[in-house]
């Protein structure tokens, strides 16, 4: 960061995307089309925008939480190091419903495996934006992950 502004070197970028509908724009900075009051996009504790992420992939969770979740889902689980990064992810993710992989170009988290193995310093995140703009999923993934390599069948990963 330079004087509080992103430069091209530290601005996260979309490295892969699968847009579901390019006819509607959703998310922060767009007209709210969902039910109720618009989410507080800038607030990482916004239940409407980020509750699932905080509860299942947040920085305050212990490794045992992830090991159990990874075992029960039979797939690795990503953990964010900083809740501000999922707000940043929302800002840089295209404003269309779909699935995305974002490269933050710096460490944003770790990936936990069912056997207890932990991969540190991952720089990529998987994002799934719903038709109202909020996230169904948002979690760190291995740096070589692709959309086709991820099991996206779980609606609330």
């Amino acid at each position: 960061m330079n004087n509080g502004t992103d430069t091209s070197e530290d601005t996260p970028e979309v490295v892969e995307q699968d847009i579901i509908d390019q006819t509607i724009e959703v998310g922060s900075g767009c007209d709210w089309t969902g039910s109720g009051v618009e989410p507080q996009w800038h607030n990482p504790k916004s239940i409407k925008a980020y509750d699932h992420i905080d509860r299942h992939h947040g920085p305050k969770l212990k490794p045992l939480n992830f090991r159990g979740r990874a075992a029960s889902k039979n797939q690795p689980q990503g953990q964010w190091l900083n809740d501000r990064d999922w707000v940043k992810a929302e800002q840089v993710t295209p404003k269309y419903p779909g699935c995305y992989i974002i490269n933050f170009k710096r460490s944003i988290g770790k990936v936990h495996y069912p056997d207890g193995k932990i991969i540190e310093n991952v720089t990529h995140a998987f994002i799934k934006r719903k038709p109202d703009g909020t996230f169904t999923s948002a979690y760190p993934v291995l740096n070589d992950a692709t959309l086709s390599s991820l099991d996206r069948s779980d609606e609330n990963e």
Side-chain angles (χ1 to χ4, degrees), residues 35-66:
S35 62
V37 177
E38 182 175 1
Q40 296 176 333
W41 299 109
H42 64 284
N43 179 359
K45 300 298 181 198
S46 171
I47 292 172
K48 193 167 207 169
Y50 309 115
D51 180 53
H52 171 84
I53 302 162
D54 193 28
R55 283 187 296 117
H56 295 290
H57 302 283
K60 293 181 181 167
L61 296 172
K62 304 290 184 227
L64 192 55
N65 295 105
F66 288 97

Short mmCIF file of all heavy atoms in Angstrom, two decimals, residues 35-66:
data_model
loop_
_atom_site.label_atom_id
_atom_site.label_comp_id
_atom_site.label_asym_id
_atom_site.label_seq_id
_atom_site.Cartn_x
_atom_site.Cartn_y
_atom_site.Cartn_z
N SER A 35 -33.72 -9.03 -0.31
CA SER A 35 -34.79 -8.76 0.65
C SER A 35 -34.27 -7.96 1.84
O SER A 35 -33.10 -8.06 2.22
CB SER A 35 -35.43 -10.06 1.12
OG SER A 35 -34.47 -10.85 1.79
N GLY A 36 -35.14 -7.16 2.41
CA GLY A 36 -34.78 -6.38 3.60
C GLY A 36 -33.80 -5.27 3.32
O GLY A 36 -33.64 -4.81 2.20
N VAL A 37 -33.14 -4.87 4.38
CA VAL A 37 -32.17 -3.76 4.33
C VAL A 37 -30.88 -4.24 3.65
O VAL A 37 -30.45 -5.37 3.82
CB VAL A 37 -31.88 -3.26 5.76
CG1 VAL A 37 -30.83 -2.17 5.76
CG2 VAL A 37 -33.15 -2.79 6.44
N GLU A 38 -30.25 -3.34 2.90
CA GLU A 38 -28.99 -3.67 2.23
C GLU A 38 -27.92 -4.05 3.25
O GLU A 38 -27.83 -3.45 4.32
CB GLU A 38 -28.52 -2.46 1.41
CG GLU A 38 -27.25 -2.72 0.66
CD GLU A 38 -26.85 -1.56 -0.26
OE1 GLU A 38 -27.55 -0.54 -0.29
OE2 GLU A 38 -25.81 -1.71 -0.93
N PRO A 39 -27.09 -5.04 2.92
CA PRO A 39 -25.99 -5.42 3.82
C PRO A 39 -25.01 -4.27 4.03
O PRO A 39 -24.89 -3.39 3.17
CB PRO A 39 -25.29 -6.55 3.08
CG PRO A 39 -26.26 -7.04 2.08
CD PRO A 39 -27.13 -5.87 1.72
N GLN A 40 -24.31 -4.30 5.14
CA GLN A 40 -23.23 -3.36 5.40
C GLN A 40 -21.97 -3.94 4.77
O GLN A 40 -21.20 -4.64 5.43
CB GLN A 40 -23.05 -3.16 6.90
CG GLN A 40 -24.23 -2.54 7.59
CD GLN A 40 -24.00 -2.47 9.10
OE1 GLN A 40 -23.27 -3.26 9.69
NE2 GLN A 40 -24.64 -1.49 9.72
N TRP A 41 -21.79 -3.70 3.49
CA TRP A 41 -20.71 -4.31 2.73
C TRP A 41 -19.34 -4.02 3.32
O TRP A 41 -18.44 -4.86 3.26
CB TRP A 41 -20.74 -3.81 1.28
CG TRP A 41 -22.01 -4.13 0.56
CD1 TRP A 41 -22.98 -3.24 0.20
CD2 TRP A 41 -22.45 -5.40 0.10
NE1 TRP A 41 -24.00 -3.90 -0.45
CE2 TRP A 41 -23.70 -5.23 -0.54
CE3 TRP A 41 -21.92 -6.69 0.14
CZ2 TRP A 41 -24.42 -6.26 -1.11
CZ3 TRP A 41 -22.63 -7.73 -0.42
CH2 TRP A 41 -23.87 -7.52 -1.05
N HIS A 42 -19.14 -2.83 3.89
CA HIS A 42 -17.82 -2.42 4.40
C HIS A 42 -17.50 -3.02 5.77
O HIS A 42 -16.39 -2.92 6.26
CB HIS A 42 -17.78 -0.90 4.51
CG HIS A 42 -18.78 -0.37 5.51
ND1 HIS A 42 -20.13 -0.29 5.24
CD2 HIS A 42 -18.63 0.04 6.79
CE1 HIS A 42 -20.76 0.18 6.32
NE2 HIS A 42 -19.87 0.38 7.26
N ASN A 43 -18.50 -3.65 6.41
CA ASN A 43 -18.34 -4.18 7.77
C ASN A 43 -18.12 -5.69 7.73
O ASN A 43 -19.02 -6.44 7.39
CB ASN A 43 -19.60 -3.84 8.58
CG ASN A 43 -19.54 -4.36 10.00
OD1 ASN A 43 -18.58 -5.01 10.40
ND2 ASN A 43 -20.59 -4.09 10.75
N PRO A 44 -16.93 -6.18 8.10
CA PRO A 44 -16.66 -7.62 8.05
C PRO A 44 -17.55 -8.44 8.99
O PRO A 44 -17.68 -9.64 8.83
CB PRO A 44 -15.19 -7.75 8.43
CG PRO A 44 -14.86 -6.49 9.16
CD PRO A 44 -15.77 -5.43 8.60
N LYS A 45 -18.18 -7.78 9.95
CA LYS A 45 -19.08 -8.47 10.89
C LYS A 45 -20.53 -8.42 10.44
O LYS A 45 -21.42 -8.86 11.16
CB LYS A 45 -18.96 -7.86 12.30
CG LYS A 45 -17.56 -7.96 12.88
CD LYS A 45 -17.14 -9.39 13.06
CE LYS A 45 -15.75 -9.49 13.66
NZ LYS A 45 -15.15 -10.79 13.48
N SER A 46 -20.80 -7.88 9.25
CA SER A 46 -22.16 -7.81 8.72
C SER A 46 -22.72 -9.23 8.58
O SER A 46 -22.23 -10.02 7.77
CB SER A 46 -22.19 -7.11 7.37
OG SER A 46 -23.46 -7.23 6.77
N ILE A 47 -23.72 -9.54 9.37
CA ILE A 47 -24.31 -10.88 9.33
C ILE A 47 -24.92 -11.15 7.95
O ILE A 47 -24.76 -12.22 7.39
CB ILE A 47 -25.34 -11.05 10.46
CG1 ILE A 47 -24.61 -11.06 11.80
CG2 ILE A 47 -26.17 -12.31 10.28
CD1 ILE A 47 -25.52 -11.03 13.01
N LYS A 48 -25.60 -10.17 7.41
CA LYS A 48 -26.27 -10.35 6.12
C LYS A 48 -25.26 -10.62 5.00
O LYS A 48 -25.51 -11.44 4.11
CB LYS A 48 -27.11 -9.13 5.79
CG LYS A 48 -28.06 -9.35 4.64
CD LYS A 48 -29.06 -8.22 4.59
CE LYS A 48 -30.34 -8.69 3.96
NZ LYS A 48 -31.41 -7.72 4.11
N ALA A 49 -24.14 -9.95 5.02
CA ALA A 49 -23.16 -10.10 3.95
C ALA A 49 -22.17 -11.24 4.18
O ALA A 49 -21.80 -11.93 3.24
CB ALA A 49 -22.40 -8.78 3.76
N TYR A 50 -21.74 -11.45 5.42
CA TYR A 50 -20.57 -12.30 5.65
C TYR A 50 -20.70 -13.33 6.78
O TYR A 50 -19.69 -13.93 7.17
CB TYR A 50 -19.35 -11.43 5.93
CG TYR A 50 -19.11 -10.33 4.94
CD1 TYR A 50 -19.21 -8.99 5.30
CD2 TYR A 50 -18.79 -10.62 3.61
CE1 TYR A 50 -18.98 -7.97 4.39
CE2 TYR A 50 -18.56 -9.60 2.68
CZ TYR A 50 -18.67 -8.28 3.08
OH TYR A 50 -18.44 -7.29 2.18
N ASP A 51 -21.89 -13.56 7.31
CA ASP A 51 -22.03 -14.43 8.48
C ASP A 51 -21.42 -15.81 8.29
O ASP A 51 -20.65 -16.28 9.12
CB ASP A 51 -23.50 -14.55 8.87
CG ASP A 51 -23.70 -15.43 10.10
OD1 ASP A 51 -23.04 -15.15 11.12
OD2 ASP A 51 -24.48 -16.40 10.02
N HIS A 52 -21.76 -16.48 7.20
CA HIS A 52 -21.24 -17.84 6.97
C HIS A 52 -19.71 -17.84 6.95
O HIS A 52 -19.07 -18.73 7.50
CB HIS A 52 -21.78 -18.41 5.66
CG HIS A 52 -21.13 -19.70 5.27
ND1 HIS A 52 -21.54 -20.91 5.77
CD2 HIS A 52 -20.06 -19.96 4.49
CE1 HIS A 52 -20.76 -21.86 5.28
NE2 HIS A 52 -19.85 -21.31 4.50
N ILE A 53 -19.14 -16.83 6.33
CA ILE A 53 -17.69 -16.75 6.21
C ILE A 53 -17.05 -16.64 7.59
O ILE A 53 -16.12 -17.36 7.92
CB ILE A 53 -17.28 -15.56 5.33
CG1 ILE A 53 -17.92 -15.69 3.96
CG2 ILE A 53 -15.78 -15.44 5.22
CD1 ILE A 53 -17.94 -14.40 3.18
N ASP A 54 -17.58 -15.74 8.41
CA ASP A 54 -17.04 -15.52 9.75
C ASP A 54 -17.20 -16.78 10.61
O ASP A 54 -16.26 -17.21 11.27
CB ASP A 54 -17.74 -14.33 10.40
CG ASP A 54 -17.05 -13.85 11.66
OD1 ASP A 54 -15.81 -14.02 11.78
OD2 ASP A 54 -17.73 -13.28 12.52
N ARG A 55 -18.37 -17.42 10.56
CA ARG A 55 -18.64 -18.58 11.41
C ARG A 55 -17.85 -19.82 11.01
O ARG A 55 -17.49 -20.63 11.87
CB ARG A 55 -20.13 -18.93 11.41
CG ARG A 55 -20.97 -18.02 12.27
CD ARG A 55 -22.43 -18.49 12.38
NE ARG A 55 -23.10 -18.47 11.09
CZ ARG A 55 -23.58 -19.54 10.47
NH1 ARG A 55 -23.47 -20.73 11.00
NH2 ARG A 55 -24.19 -19.43 9.30
N HIS A 56 -17.60 -20.01 9.71
CA HIS A 56 -16.98 -21.27 9.25
C HIS A 56 -15.57 -21.13 8.70
O HIS A 56 -14.88 -22.14 8.52
CB HIS A 56 -17.88 -21.93 8.20
CG HIS A 56 -19.19 -22.35 8.75
ND1 HIS A 56 -19.33 -23.40 9.62
CD2 HIS A 56 -20.43 -21.84 8.58
CE1 HIS A 56 -20.60 -23.54 9.95
NE2 HIS A 56 -21.29 -22.59 9.33
N HIS A 57 -15.13 -19.91 8.42
CA HIS A 57 -13.80 -19.73 7.81
C HIS A 57 -13.03 -18.57 8.45
O HIS A 57 -12.03 -18.12 7.91
CB HIS A 57 -13.95 -19.48 6.30
CG HIS A 57 -14.67 -20.58 5.59
ND1 HIS A 57 -14.08 -21.78 5.28
CD2 HIS A 57 -15.95 -20.67 5.16
CE1 HIS A 57 -14.96 -22.56 4.68
NE2 HIS A 57 -16.11 -21.91 4.59
N GLY A 58 -13.51 -18.08 9.59
CA GLY A 58 -12.95 -16.88 10.20
C GLY A 58 -11.63 -17.08 10.91
O GLY A 58 -11.25 -18.20 11.27
N PRO A 59 -10.91 -15.99 11.16
CA PRO A 59 -9.58 -16.04 11.75
C PRO A 59 -9.56 -16.46 13.21
O PRO A 59 -8.53 -16.91 13.70
CB PRO A 59 -9.06 -14.61 11.59
CG PRO A 59 -10.26 -13.76 11.43
CD PRO A 59 -11.31 -14.63 10.79
N LYS A 60 -10.68 -16.35 13.92
CA LYS A 60 -10.68 -16.68 15.35
C LYS A 60 -10.93 -18.16 15.62
O LYS A 60 -10.80 -18.61 16.76
CB LYS A 60 -11.74 -15.84 16.07
CG LYS A 60 -11.38 -14.37 16.07
CD LYS A 60 -12.39 -13.53 16.78
CE LYS A 60 -11.98 -12.07 16.71
NZ LYS A 60 -13.04 -11.18 17.12
N LEU A 61 -11.26 -18.93 14.60
CA LEU A 61 -11.52 -20.36 14.78
C LEU A 61 -10.22 -21.13 15.02
O LEU A 61 -9.16 -20.76 14.52
CB LEU A 61 -12.25 -20.92 13.57
CG LEU A 61 -13.64 -20.34 13.32
CD1 LEU A 61 -14.19 -20.82 11.99
CD2 LEU A 61 -14.58 -20.70 14.46
N LYS A 62 -10.33 -22.19 15.79
CA LYS A 62 -9.17 -23.01 16.13
C LYS A 62 -8.96 -24.11 15.08
O LYS A 62 -9.92 -24.53 14.42
CB LYS A 62 -9.39 -23.68 17.50
CG LYS A 62 -9.67 -22.70 18.61
CD LYS A 62 -8.45 -21.89 18.95
CE LYS A 62 -8.71 -20.97 20.12
NZ LYS A 62 -8.24 -19.63 19.91
N PRO A 63 -7.73 -24.61 14.93
CA PRO A 63 -7.47 -25.68 13.95
C PRO A 63 -8.38 -26.89 14.11
O PRO A 63 -8.77 -27.50 13.11
CB PRO A 63 -6.01 -26.04 14.22
CG PRO A 63 -5.40 -24.78 14.75
CD PRO A 63 -6.50 -24.14 15.57
N LEU A 64 -8.76 -27.23 15.34
CA LEU A 64 -9.63 -28.38 15.55
C LEU A 64 -10.99 -28.19 14.87
O LEU A 64 -11.57 -29.14 14.35
CB LEU A 64 -9.81 -28.63 17.06
CG LEU A 64 -10.46 -29.95 17.45
CD1 LEU A 64 -9.69 -31.12 16.85
CD2 LEU A 64 -10.51 -30.07 18.95
N ASN A 65 -11.50 -26.92 14.84
CA ASN A 65 -12.75 -26.65 14.15
C ASN A 65 -12.63 -27.02 12.67
O ASN A 65 -13.55 -27.62 12.10
CB ASN A 65 -13.13 -25.16 14.22
CG ASN A 65 -13.41 -24.69 15.62
OD1 ASN A 65 -12.60 -24.00 16.22
ND2 ASN A 65 -14.56 -25.04 16.15
N PHE A 66 -11.51 -26.68 12.07
CA PHE A 66 -11.31 -26.92 10.65
C PHE A 66 -11.08 -28.39 10.37
O PHE A 66 -11.56 -28.91 9.36
CB PHE A 66 -10.16 -26.07 10.12
CG PHE A 66 -10.53 -24.63 10.04
CD1 PHE A 66 -10.18 -23.75 11.05
CD2 PHE A 66 -11.25 -24.14 8.96
CE1 PHE A 66 -10.54 -22.42 10.99
CE2 PHE A 66 -11.62 -22.80 8.90
CZ PHE A 66 -11.27 -21.95 9.91
#
